[in-house]
Amino acid sequence: MRRLLWLGIGLAVGALVVRAITKKAQTFTPQGLAASARNSAVGIAGSVRDFVDDVRDGMAEREAEIHAAFTDGLTLDEDLNPEGRQHR
């Protein structure tokens, strides 16, 4: 009876190992490599798109600050104008 139990456990473990190896080997086939490259390209494109959106948001925010300061006649950099004087 014990032998049948160990035989069953061995068959189950062997089947899992073969399945895992087959799945891993599939990633090295041309189709698997193409899918991996496609997923990487999609991820990179999404990251670049997010970066560009963040830069555009920052630019719009800074432009609004510059326009507000320009209409008020203020300088934006404290290094250039430490006393906060208005220039007209």
Side-chain angles (χ1 to χ4, degrees):
M1 197 59 152
R2 275 185 178 230
R3 288 184 182 178
L4 286 177
L5 173 68
W6 286 111
L7 178 65
I9 291 172
L11 289 173
V13 169
L16 291 174
V17 168
V18 167
R19 187 175 213 182
I21 290 172
T22 303
K23 194 174 195 180
K24 189 67 174 176
Q26 178 64 28
T27 61
F28 295 110
T29 63
Q31 294 85 7
L33 292 173
S36 177
R38 184 175 44 254
N39 291 340
S40 295
V42 168
I44 290 171
S47 296
V48 169
R49 192 175 308 114
D50 290 343
F51 174 74
V52 169
D53 290 341
D54 290 343
V55 169
R56 284 183 182 156
D57 291 343
M59 286 174 32
E61 183 178 320
R62 182 65 175 159
E63 186 176 347
E65 291 173 4
I66 292 170
H67 282 292
F70 184 72
T71 56
D72 293 340
L74 302 174
T75 60
L76 295 174
D77 296 325
E78 290 183 12
D79 294 338
L80 298 176
N81 189 15
E83 293 84 29
R85 294 187 311 249
Q86 292 185 358
H87 293 283
R88 296 198 186 245

